Amino acid sequence: MMRIFFSLTLLLYHWSSGVCTTFYVSEEYSLSVPYSEYDALFDIYESTSGERWVWNNRQDGIPWNFTGLSDPCMDEWQGVSCRCTVSSSVASIATWDTADVGDQWILSSNNGSTNCTVSVLDLRLHNMTGILPMSFSNLSSLEVINLARNNIRSPLPSTLAQLKFLTALNLDHNDFSEPLPSFLSNLTALTVLSIGNNFFSGQIPDSFFSFPRLLEFDISSNFLTTTLSPLVSNLTYLRRLDNLFFGSIPTTLKSMTNLTDLSIGLTGFSGGFPLWICDMTWLQELDMSYNDYSGTLPTEMANLTNLKSLYMGGNRFVSPFPTALFNLTGLEVLDLQDNYYTSSLPSSLGLLANMTALYLGNNMFGGSLPCQVMGSWPNLTVISVYENTFNGHIEKCFVNNS
């Protein structure tokens, strides 16, 4: 705990004795966090141009202030969350010293103290610019770090590896430009690792596939020159995979029964649709968009009955329309835009009654729009059919649907 003392000196004249007695009344004010954590917050502020941070009106908390008695936890600094305990109250009056000017006493009081440690640092979208300090690790009780959408650049401090309680690390949309640091694999408590949309380069260290508790893994949109290692199946608890890879998809993925969201868009994968994916019947989201897949979508896709979102846009898939999709009655989002479909839309689309978003633009679909179907979807909020050869006008499908 960091303590600050204020004292008030009182000089009282004893009329009977003609002697002055000095009383020192001392009040103790305490910062709730340790020196090391307070200093680490200061270092982060200084090294990332804190004076130019943008404080978010939609986020609770006050701007950071190191000039007065502001307390990161008790005054609820923006982006800082803490775990605190309160100790019992103590009160005392004790003699201090005797001097020539008379008796001196110290009257002190302590109304109990609050001991805190920083557990969450959430400074996304704060215009942080610069590098993270090595003292970051002094925030030793951190469980969550979210610094997404800033302008933080390399190097990533190696001391981050000392944060043994860290469960979530989000550094998305920054300016890190270095090989993926292998020391991150020392963060064995991680359940979420999200470092997409940076400039990380090189290979993915094999140690990245040994996180024992990882649930979400996103290193998409970097400059990684790698294939997706079969070791990915070691991440047995993984629920979401969102990465940029090359080559082929390892079939070991089909053993990952906790993986509900598979996102492998923008990878450069090519060939026909991998049939073994149709065995992953537990999938809820499948994103294979903007690759170089070709041919038709297989009838085996009817097995994916738990799918809610399917993104197949930006490939070279061709007609006929994949009727296997009509078996996916829980489907809410369907994206087939930017392909080579030339057929008409079947009225069986009406079986997808939970549809909220339909993307069919930039194909060569023709014939009449199935207005009776589209106009009856109660939850539809987005429909895109641009650059096709449909007869009629899409808005007429929704004239009576308000």
Side-chain angles (χ1 to χ4, degrees):
M1 174 180 292
M2 186 174 179
R3 295 181 172 88
I4 302 173
F5 295 89
F6 287 87
S7 62
L8 177 63
T9 302
L10 302 177
L11 295 177
L12 299 181
Y13 182 73
H14 292 251
W15 295 102
S16 59
S17 62
V19 176
C20 278
T21 301
T22 305
F23 288 88
Y24 291 88
V25 182
S26 176
E27 181 70 28
E28 178 182 323
Y29 291 89
S30 301
L31 282 175
S32 62
V33 296
Y35 277 108
S36 58
E37 294 197 11
Y38 187 84
D39 289 344
L41 293 175
F42 178 79
D43 290 345
I44 293 169
Y45 184 85
E46 286 290 297
S47 65
T48 58
S49 304
E51 70 281 359
R52 293 196 291 272
W53 286 7
V54 176
W55 301 105
N56 191 342
N57 292 332
R58 297 182 179 180
Q59 189 174 357
D60 292 337
I62 66 171
W64 294 16
N65 179 7
F66 296 94
T67 60
L69 297 177
S70 185
D71 185 291
C73 298
M74 306 313 294
D75 293 324
E76 299 183 353
W77 285 9
Q78 189 167 116
V80 176
S81 298
C82 306
R83 292 189 181 277
C84 301
T85 57
V86 180
S87 64
S88 58
S89 300
V90 176
S92 64
I93 300 176
T95 59
W96 177 35
D97 198 357
T98 303
D100 293 338
V101 294
D103 296 330
Q104 297 182 347
W105 303 79
I106 179 168
L107 283 72
S108 65
S109 66
N110 186 336
N111 295 320
S113 59
T114 302
N115 301 290
C116 297
T117 187
V118 178
S119 59
V120 175
L121 195 62
D122 184 357
L123 293 171
R124 54 190 151 170
L125 284 167
H126 272 67
N127 195 40
M128 300 175 73
T129 303
I131 62 175
L132 299 177
M134 296 295 284
S135 59
F136 210 116
S137 60
N138 290 338
L139 300 170
S140 57
S141 297
L142 274 176
E143 299 171 23
V144 175
I145 298 174
N146 190 345
L147 304 179
R149 297 184 180 275
N150 283 292
N151 305 298
I152 306 170
R153 62 180 186 272
S154 290
L156 197 62
S158 58
T159 52
L160 285 179
Q162 300 172 24
L163 301 177
K164 61 181 180 179
F165 300 111
L166 195 66
T167 61
L169 176 61
N170 187 346
L171 301 174
D172 275 355
H173 290 88
N174 277 286
D175 297 321
F176 293 106
S177 56
E178 58 187 291
L180 282 177
S182 58
F183 62 75
L184 290 179
S185 60
N186 293 327
L187 300 171
T188 55
L190 277 184
T191 59
V192 176
L193 176 59
S194 186
I195 52 177
N197 291 279
N198 281 281
F199 302 93
F200 288 112
S201 59
Q203 300 288 318
I204 302 175
D206 284 350
S207 57
F208 267 49
F209 300 110
S210 61
F211 290 105
R213 299 179 178 87
L214 202 62
L215 301 178
E216 299 183 16
F217 187 25
D218 182 358
I219 53 175
S220 60
S221 299
N222 282 285
F223 289 88
L224 303 171
T225 55
T226 185
T227 57
L228 179 55
S229 170
L231 293 174
V232 69
S233 61
N234 292 340
L235 304 175
T236 53
Y237 293 100
L238 198 66
R239 288 197 311 247
R240 180 173 179 82
L241 178 64
D242 188 359
N243 294 289
L244 177 58
F245 297 112
F246 298 94
S248 58
I249 312 173
T251 58
T252 50
L253 282 176
K254 67 181 180 181
S255 66
M256 301 174 67
T257 55
N258 288 303
L259 186 65
T260 59
D261 298 354
L262 177 59
S263 179
I264 46 177
L266 285 167
T267 58
F269 290 152
S270 60
F273 185 96
L275 287 178
W276 56 265
I277 289 181
C278 299
D279 295 330
M280 301 176 70
T281 56
W282 52 88
L283 285 178
Q284 296 179 19
E285 179 176 316
L286 177 59
D287 184 353
M288 300 173 64
S289 59
Y290 295 93
N291 285 292
D292 195 30
Y293 289 113
S294 58
T296 59
L297 290 176
T299 57
E300 288 84 353
M301 289 191 72
N303 298 332
L304 301 176
T305 53
N306 287 300
L307 270 186
K308 294 182 178 180
S309 301
L310 178 62
Y311 301 92
M312 292 289 159
N315 284 286
R316 293 189 292 125
F317 292 120
V318 298
S319 293
F321 192 92
T323 56
L325 301 185
F326 303 146
N327 196 51
L328 313 183
T329 54
L331 201 63
E332 298 173 3
V333 179
L334 175 59
D335 178 5
L336 297 176
Q337 64 187 344
D338 297 321
N339 277 288
Y340 293 89
Y341 288 105
T342 57
S343 59
S344 59
L345 294 180
S347 59
S348 301
L349 272 174
L351 296 173
L352 305 179
N354 294 304
M355 190 67 61
T356 63
L358 179 64
Y359 302 94
L360 301 174
N362 199 28
N363 279 280
M364 290 175 280
F365 284 116
S368 299
L369 287 165
C371 288
Q372 186 174 359
V373 171
M374 294 180 176
S376 65
W377 285 331
N379 301 317
L380 188 68
T381 57
V382 178
I383 184 167
S384 173
V385 294
Y386 71 96
E387 295 295 329
N388 282 286
T389 58
F390 291 118
N391 300 324
H393 300 281
I394 184 66
E395 60 271 15
K396 293 183 178 180
C397 294
F398 303 97
V399 169
N400 297 317
N401 186 35
S402 58

mmCIF file of all heavy atoms in Angstrom, residues 130-166:
data_model
loop_
_atom_site.group_PDB
_atom_site.id
_atom_site.type_symbol
_atom_site.label_atom_id
_atom_site.label_comp_id
_atom_site.label_asym_id
_atom_site.label_seq_id
_atom_site.Cartn_x
_atom_site.Cartn_y
_atom_site.Cartn_z
ATOM 1 N N GLY A 130 2.970 4.734 -28.998
ATOM 2 C CA GLY A 130 4.295 4.506 -28.432
ATOM 3 C C GLY A 130 4.518 3.039 -28.155
ATOM 4 O O GLY A 130 3.950 2.167 -28.819
ATOM 5 N N ILE A 131 5.357 2.752 -27.172
ATOM 6 C CA ILE A 131 5.677 1.370 -26.820
ATOM 7 C C ILE A 131 5.252 1.097 -25.383
ATOM 8 O O ILE A 131 5.117 2.016 -24.573
ATOM 9 C CB ILE A 131 7.176 1.067 -26.998
ATOM 10 C CG1 ILE A 131 8.016 1.959 -26.070
ATOM 11 C CG2 ILE A 131 7.595 1.252 -28.444
ATOM 12 C CD1 ILE A 131 9.491 1.626 -26.096
ATOM 13 N N LEU A 132 5.048 -0.163 -25.079
ATOM 14 C CA LEU A 132 4.683 -0.559 -23.718
ATOM 15 C C LEU A 132 5.950 -0.735 -22.894
ATOM 16 O O LEU A 132 6.930 -1.323 -23.364
ATOM 17 C CB LEU A 132 3.884 -1.861 -23.743
ATOM 18 C CG LEU A 132 2.561 -1.809 -24.507
ATOM 19 C CD1 LEU A 132 1.898 -3.184 -24.514
ATOM 20 C CD2 LEU A 132 1.612 -0.772 -23.921
ATOM 21 N N PRO A 133 5.959 -0.257 -21.647
ATOM 22 C CA PRO A 133 7.174 -0.314 -20.829
ATOM 23 C C PRO A 133 7.418 -1.707 -20.251
ATOM 24 O O PRO A 133 6.502 -2.496 -20.073
ATOM 25 C CB PRO A 133 6.881 0.690 -19.713
ATOM 26 C CG PRO A 133 5.388 0.635 -19.563
ATOM 27 C CD PRO A 133 4.851 0.425 -20.948
ATOM 28 N N MET A 134 8.687 -1.972 -19.928
ATOM 29 C CA MET A 134 9.033 -3.244 -19.306
ATOM 30 C C MET A 134 8.390 -3.401 -17.935
ATOM 31 O O MET A 134 8.139 -4.511 -17.473
ATOM 32 C CB MET A 134 10.561 -3.362 -19.186
ATOM 33 C CG MET A 134 11.285 -3.409 -20.518
ATOM 34 S SD MET A 134 10.891 -4.898 -21.476
ATOM 35 C CE MET A 134 11.877 -6.116 -20.609
ATOM 36 N N SER A 135 8.101 -2.265 -17.285
ATOM 37 C CA SER A 135 7.489 -2.315 -15.952
ATOM 38 C C SER A 135 6.043 -2.781 -15.983
ATOM 39 O O SER A 135 5.409 -2.914 -14.925
ATOM 40 C CB SER A 135 7.561 -0.933 -15.296
ATOM 41 O OG SER A 135 6.894 0.044 -16.080
ATOM 42 N N PHE A 136 5.498 -3.055 -17.179
ATOM 43 C CA PHE A 136 4.128 -3.560 -17.310
ATOM 44 C C PHE A 136 3.911 -4.763 -16.399
ATOM 45 O O PHE A 136 2.840 -4.941 -15.808
ATOM 46 C CB PHE A 136 3.866 -3.945 -18.763
ATOM 47 C CG PHE A 136 2.438 -3.804 -19.191
ATOM 48 C CD1 PHE A 136 2.078 -2.897 -20.171
ATOM 49 C CD2 PHE A 136 1.439 -4.573 -18.631
ATOM 50 C CE1 PHE A 136 0.761 -2.748 -20.580
ATOM 51 C CE2 PHE A 136 0.117 -4.452 -19.030
ATOM 52 C CZ PHE A 136 -0.222 -3.537 -19.999
ATOM 53 N N SER A 137 4.939 -5.582 -16.247
ATOM 54 C CA SER A 137 4.808 -6.809 -15.459
ATOM 55 C C SER A 137 4.625 -6.535 -13.973
ATOM 56 O O SER A 137 4.269 -7.440 -13.212
ATOM 57 C CB SER A 137 6.031 -7.696 -15.661
ATOM 58 O OG SER A 137 7.211 -7.016 -15.260
ATOM 59 N N ASN A 138 4.868 -5.296 -13.528
ATOM 60 C CA ASN A 138 4.629 -4.974 -12.123
ATOM 61 C C ASN A 138 3.140 -4.979 -11.781
ATOM 62 O O ASN A 138 2.773 -5.000 -10.605
ATOM 63 C CB ASN A 138 5.233 -3.610 -11.781
ATOM 64 C CG ASN A 138 6.752 -3.646 -11.768
ATOM 65 O OD1 ASN A 138 7.352 -4.702 -11.608
ATOM 66 N ND2 ASN A 138 7.379 -2.495 -11.964
ATOM 67 N N LEU A 139 2.297 -4.954 -12.817
ATOM 68 C CA LEU A 139 0.858 -5.148 -12.612
ATOM 69 C C LEU A 139 0.611 -6.653 -12.531
ATOM 70 O O LEU A 139 -0.049 -7.253 -13.375
ATOM 71 C CB LEU A 139 0.065 -4.496 -13.741
ATOM 72 C CG LEU A 139 0.261 -2.985 -13.893
ATOM 73 C CD1 LEU A 139 -0.371 -2.487 -15.189
ATOM 74 C CD2 LEU A 139 -0.325 -2.248 -12.706
ATOM 75 N N SER A 140 1.183 -7.248 -11.514
ATOM 76 C CA SER A 140 1.351 -8.702 -11.473
ATOM 77 C C SER A 140 0.058 -9.478 -11.287
ATOM 78 O O SER A 140 0.044 -10.699 -11.446
ATOM 79 C CB SER A 140 2.341 -9.076 -10.368
ATOM 80 O OG SER A 140 1.897 -8.569 -9.122
ATOM 81 N N SER A 141 -1.021 -8.790 -10.924
ATOM 82 C CA SER A 141 -2.298 -9.484 -10.721
ATOM 83 C C SER A 141 -3.256 -9.324 -11.894
ATOM 84 O O SER A 141 -4.425 -9.698 -11.795
ATOM 85 C CB SER A 141 -2.974 -8.974 -9.440
ATOM 86 O OG SER A 141 -2.188 -9.257 -8.306
ATOM 87 N N LEU A 142 -2.764 -8.783 -12.988
ATOM 88 C CA LEU A 142 -3.629 -8.567 -14.148
ATOM 89 C C LEU A 142 -4.227 -9.881 -14.635
ATOM 90 O O LEU A 142 -3.537 -10.878 -14.785
ATOM 91 C CB LEU A 142 -2.850 -7.909 -15.284
ATOM 92 C CG LEU A 142 -2.761 -6.387 -15.279
ATOM 93 C CD1 LEU A 142 -1.870 -5.907 -16.422
ATOM 94 C CD2 LEU A 142 -4.135 -5.741 -15.386
ATOM 95 N N GLU A 143 -5.516 -9.827 -14.910
ATOM 96 C CA GLU A 143 -6.224 -10.968 -15.485
ATOM 97 C C GLU A 143 -6.663 -10.692 -16.919
ATOM 98 O O GLU A 143 -6.795 -11.622 -17.714
ATOM 99 C CB GLU A 143 -7.459 -11.293 -14.630
ATOM 100 C CG GLU A 143 -7.116 -11.667 -13.193
ATOM 101 C CD GLU A 143 -8.350 -11.758 -12.317
ATOM 102 O OE1 GLU A 143 -9.449 -11.961 -12.870
ATOM 103 O OE2 GLU A 143 -8.230 -11.623 -11.090
ATOM 104 N N VAL A 144 -6.906 -9.416 -17.240
ATOM 105 C CA VAL A 144 -7.367 -9.039 -18.575
ATOM 106 C C VAL A 144 -6.602 -7.800 -19.044
ATOM 107 O O VAL A 144 -6.509 -6.815 -18.303
ATOM 108 C CB VAL A 144 -8.882 -8.733 -18.586
ATOM 109 C CG1 VAL A 144 -9.322 -8.227 -19.953
ATOM 110 C CG2 VAL A 144 -9.685 -9.963 -18.185
ATOM 111 N N ILE A 145 -6.062 -7.859 -20.256
ATOM 112 C CA ILE A 145 -5.463 -6.706 -20.923
ATOM 113 C C ILE A 145 -6.165 -6.526 -22.259
ATOM 114 O O ILE A 145 -6.168 -7.445 -23.092
ATOM 115 C CB ILE A 145 -3.956 -6.891 -21.170
ATOM 116 C CG1 ILE A 145 -3.195 -7.042 -19.860
ATOM 117 C CG2 ILE A 145 -3.390 -5.712 -21.974
ATOM 118 C CD1 ILE A 145 -1.718 -7.367 -20.049
ATOM 119 N N ASN A 146 -6.775 -5.368 -22.470
ATOM 120 C CA ASN A 146 -7.399 -5.044 -23.756
ATOM 121 C C ASN A 146 -6.883 -3.680 -24.197
ATOM 122 O O ASN A 146 -7.306 -2.649 -23.681
ATOM 123 C CB ASN A 146 -8.920 -5.033 -23.647
ATOM 124 C CG ASN A 146 -9.592 -4.930 -25.014
ATOM 125 O OD1 ASN A 146 -8.944 -4.588 -26.008
ATOM 126 N ND2 ASN A 146 -10.876 -5.216 -25.076
ATOM 127 N N LEU A 147 -5.956 -3.694 -25.143
ATOM 128 C CA LEU A 147 -5.372 -2.464 -25.677
ATOM 129 C C LEU A 147 -5.643 -2.364 -27.181
ATOM 130 O O LEU A 147 -4.880 -1.753 -27.922
ATOM 131 C CB LEU A 147 -3.859 -2.437 -25.414
ATOM 132 C CG LEU A 147 -3.427 -2.584 -23.950
ATOM 133 C CD1 LEU A 147 -1.903 -2.560 -23.837
ATOM 134 C CD2 LEU A 147 -4.041 -1.498 -23.086
ATOM 135 N N ALA A 148 -6.748 -2.944 -27.612
ATOM 136 C CA ALA A 148 -7.067 -2.994 -29.041
ATOM 137 C C ALA A 148 -7.328 -1.604 -29.606
ATOM 138 O O ALA A 148 -7.733 -0.685 -28.903
ATOM 139 C CB ALA A 148 -8.291 -3.887 -29.269
ATOM 140 N N ARG A 149 -7.065 -1.484 -30.906
ATOM 141 C CA ARG A 149 -7.378 -0.277 -31.680
ATOM 142 C C ARG A 149 -6.691 0.970 -31.110
ATOM 143 O O ARG A 149 -7.306 1.974 -30.801
ATOM 144 C CB ARG A 149 -8.900 -0.084 -31.774
ATOM 145 C CG ARG A 149 -9.581 -1.220 -32.521
ATOM 146 C CD ARG A 149 -11.063 -1.014 -32.708
ATOM 147 N NE ARG A 149 -11.649 -2.132 -33.415
ATOM 148 C CZ ARG A 149 -11.692 -2.271 -34.751
ATOM 149 N NH1 ARG A 149 -11.174 -1.324 -35.509
ATOM 150 N NH2 ARG A 149 -12.248 -3.339 -35.302
ATOM 151 N N ASN A 150 -5.374 0.852 -30.989
ATOM 152 C CA ASN A 150 -4.535 1.986 -30.633
ATOM 153 C C ASN A 150 -3.398 2.077 -31.647
ATOM 154 O O ASN A 150 -3.509 1.534 -32.749
ATOM 155 C CB ASN A 150 -4.008 1.817 -29.204
ATOM 156 C CG ASN A 150 -5.065 2.132 -28.155
ATOM 157 O OD1 ASN A 150 -5.475 3.269 -27.993
ATOM 158 N ND2 ASN A 150 -5.524 1.110 -27.434
ATOM 159 N N ASN A 151 -2.330 2.755 -31.277
ATOM 160 C CA ASN A 151 -1.176 2.908 -32.164
ATOM 161 C C ASN A 151 0.096 2.469 -31.448
ATOM 162 O O ASN A 151 1.132 3.123 -31.527
ATOM 163 C CB ASN A 151 -1.047 4.374 -32.607
ATOM 164 C CG ASN A 151 -2.314 4.901 -33.260
ATOM 165 O OD1 ASN A 151 -2.747 4.412 -34.290
ATOM 166 N ND2 ASN A 151 -2.932 5.888 -32.639
ATOM 167 N N ILE A 152 -0.003 1.356 -30.760
ATOM 168 C CA ILE A 152 1.127 0.836 -29.994
ATOM 169 C C ILE A 152 2.037 0.063 -30.950
ATOM 170 O O ILE A 152 1.561 -0.713 -31.782
ATOM 171 C CB ILE A 152 0.639 -0.055 -28.856
ATOM 172 C CG1 ILE A 152 -0.389 0.697 -27.997
ATOM 173 C CG2 ILE A 152 1.805 -0.502 -27.984
ATOM 174 C CD1 ILE A 152 -1.107 -0.187 -26.999
ATOM 175 N N ARG A 153 3.330 0.274 -30.812
ATOM 176 C CA ARG A 153 4.273 -0.361 -31.734
ATOM 177 C C ARG A 153 5.250 -1.270 -30.981
ATOM 178 O O ARG A 153 5.294 -1.286 -29.750
ATOM 179 C CB ARG A 153 5.047 0.693 -32.517
ATOM 180 C CG ARG A 153 5.906 1.621 -31.684
ATOM 181 C CD ARG A 153 6.630 2.636 -32.548
ATOM 182 N NE ARG A 153 7.565 3.434 -31.777
ATOM 183 C CZ ARG A 153 7.264 4.551 -31.156
ATOM 184 N NH1 ARG A 153 6.026 5.015 -31.209
ATOM 185 N NH2 ARG A 153 8.181 5.212 -30.463
ATOM 186 N N SER A 154 6.012 -2.011 -31.747
ATOM 187 C CA SER A 154 7.001 -2.939 -31.188
ATOM 188 C C SER A 154 8.140 -2.159 -30.521
ATOM 189 O O SER A 154 8.350 -0.979 -30.824
ATOM 190 C CB SER A 154 7.566 -3.825 -32.298
ATOM 191 O OG SER A 154 6.601 -4.724 -32.760
ATOM 192 N N PRO A 155 8.854 -2.863 -29.615
ATOM 193 C CA PRO A 155 8.717 -4.277 -29.255
ATOM 194 C C PRO A 155 7.671 -4.503 -28.157
ATOM 195 O O PRO A 155 7.421 -3.619 -27.343
ATOM 196 C CB PRO A 155 10.111 -4.629 -28.747
ATOM 197 C CG PRO A 155 10.602 -3.354 -28.131
ATOM 198 C CD PRO A 155 10.054 -2.252 -29.002
ATOM 199 N N LEU A 156 7.117 -5.690 -28.175
ATOM 200 C CA LEU A 156 6.234 -6.118 -27.088
ATOM 201 C C LEU A 156 7.120 -6.508 -25.915
ATOM 202 O O LEU A 156 8.045 -7.306 -26.076
ATOM 203 C CB LEU A 156 5.408 -7.309 -27.562
ATOM 204 C CG LEU A 156 4.153 -7.693 -26.787
ATOM 205 C CD1 LEU A 156 3.142 -6.559 -26.806
ATOM 206 C CD2 LEU A 156 3.537 -8.956 -27.383
ATOM 207 N N PRO A 157 6.894 -5.942 -24.730
ATOM 208 C CA PRO A 157 7.818 -6.214 -23.620
ATOM 209 C C PRO A 157 7.801 -7.677 -23.198
ATOM 210 O O PRO A 157 6.747 -8.249 -22.942
ATOM 211 C CB PRO A 157 7.306 -5.296 -22.498
ATOM 212 C CG PRO A 157 5.883 -5.003 -22.844
ATOM 213 C CD PRO A 157 5.808 -5.013 -24.339
ATOM 214 N N SER A 158 8.992 -8.254 -23.118
ATOM 215 C CA SER A 158 9.095 -9.674 -22.772
ATOM 216 C C SER A 158 8.620 -9.955 -21.354
ATOM 217 O O SER A 158 8.279 -11.099 -21.019
ATOM 218 C CB SER A 158 10.548 -10.139 -22.923
ATOM 219 O OG SER A 158 11.405 -9.375 -22.095
ATOM 220 N N THR A 159 8.560 -8.908 -20.520
ATOM 221 C CA THR A 159 8.113 -9.101 -19.142
ATOM 222 C C THR A 159 6.641 -9.471 -19.050
ATOM 223 O O THR A 159 6.182 -9.906 -17.989
ATOM 224 C CB THR A 159 8.371 -7.824 -18.325
ATOM 225 O OG1 THR A 159 7.797 -6.699 -19.007
ATOM 226 C CG2 THR A 159 9.862 -7.586 -18.144
ATOM 227 N N LEU A 160 5.892 -9.316 -20.137
ATOM 228 C CA LEU A 160 4.497 -9.757 -20.129
ATOM 229 C C LEU A 160 4.388 -11.228 -19.759
ATOM 230 O O LEU A 160 3.378 -11.668 -19.211
ATOM 231 C CB LEU A 160 3.853 -9.528 -21.497
ATOM 232 C CG LEU A 160 3.479 -8.100 -21.895
ATOM 233 C CD1 LEU A 160 2.878 -8.090 -23.289
ATOM 234 C CD2 LEU A 160 2.491 -7.490 -20.900
ATOM 235 N N ALA A 161 5.427 -11.984 -20.076
ATOM 236 C CA ALA A 161 5.413 -13.423 -19.801
ATOM 237 C C ALA A 161 5.316 -13.722 -18.314
ATOM 238 O O ALA A 161 5.019 -14.857 -17.917
ATOM 239 C CB ALA A 161 6.660 -14.077 -20.376
ATOM 240 N N GLN A 162 5.543 -12.714 -17.461
ATOM 241 C CA GLN A 162 5.500 -12.919 -16.012
ATOM 242 C C GLN A 162 4.093 -12.787 -15.432
ATOM 243 O O GLN A 162 3.886 -13.022 -14.240
ATOM 244 C CB GLN A 162 6.427 -11.909 -15.333
ATOM 245 C CG GLN A 162 7.881 -12.021 -15.760
ATOM 246 C CD GLN A 162 8.733 -10.881 -15.213
ATOM 247 O OE1 GLN A 162 8.404 -10.274 -14.200
ATOM 248 N NE2 GLN A 162 9.837 -10.601 -15.899
ATOM 249 N N LEU A 163 3.123 -12.418 -16.270
ATOM 250 C CA LEU A 163 1.758 -12.196 -15.776
ATOM 251 C C LEU A 163 1.024 -13.531 -15.695
ATOM 252 O O LEU A 163 0.230 -13.890 -16.566
ATOM 253 C CB LEU A 163 1.029 -11.209 -16.686
ATOM 254 C CG LEU A 163 1.697 -9.835 -16.820
ATOM 255 C CD1 LEU A 163 0.935 -8.948 -17.797
ATOM 256 C CD2 LEU A 163 1.792 -9.156 -15.453
ATOM 257 N N LYS A 164 1.263 -14.251 -14.618
ATOM 258 C CA LYS A 164 0.805 -15.635 -14.526
ATOM 259 C C LYS A 164 -0.694 -15.771 -14.351
ATOM 260 O O LYS A 164 -1.243 -16.867 -14.499
ATOM 261 C CB LYS A 164 1.530 -16.344 -13.390
ATOM 262 C CG LYS A 164 1.296 -15.723 -12.021
ATOM 263 C CD LYS A 164 2.090 -16.481 -10.964
ATOM 264 C CE LYS A 164 1.875 -15.870 -9.576
ATOM 265 N NZ LYS A 164 2.640 -16.621 -8.540
ATOM 266 N N PHE A 165 -1.396 -14.670 -14.012
ATOM 267 C CA PHE A 165 -2.847 -14.746 -13.840
ATOM 268 C C PHE A 165 -3.605 -14.264 -15.080
ATOM 269 O O PHE A 165 -4.838 -14.262 -15.082
ATOM 270 C CB PHE A 165 -3.284 -13.910 -12.634
ATOM 271 C CG PHE A 165 -2.671 -14.347 -11.337
ATOM 272 C CD1 PHE A 165 -1.740 -13.550 -10.687
ATOM 273 C CD2 PHE A 165 -3.004 -15.573 -10.777
ATOM 274 C CE1 PHE A 165 -1.166 -13.949 -9.499
ATOM 275 C CE2 PHE A 165 -2.436 -15.982 -9.581
ATOM 276 C CZ PHE A 165 -1.504 -15.167 -8.940
ATOM 277 N N LEU A 166 -2.896 -13.868 -16.120
ATOM 278 C CA LEU A 166 -3.538 -13.272 -17.290
ATOM 279 C C LEU A 166 -4.353 -14.312 -18.050
ATOM 280 O O LEU A 166 -3.828 -15.337 -18.481
ATOM 281 C CB LEU A 166 -2.478 -12.663 -18.216
ATOM 282 C CG LEU A 166 -2.990 -11.710 -19.284
ATOM 283 C CD1 LEU A 166 -3.565 -10.445 -18.654
ATOM 284 C CD2 LEU A 166 -1.866 -11.340 -20.253
#
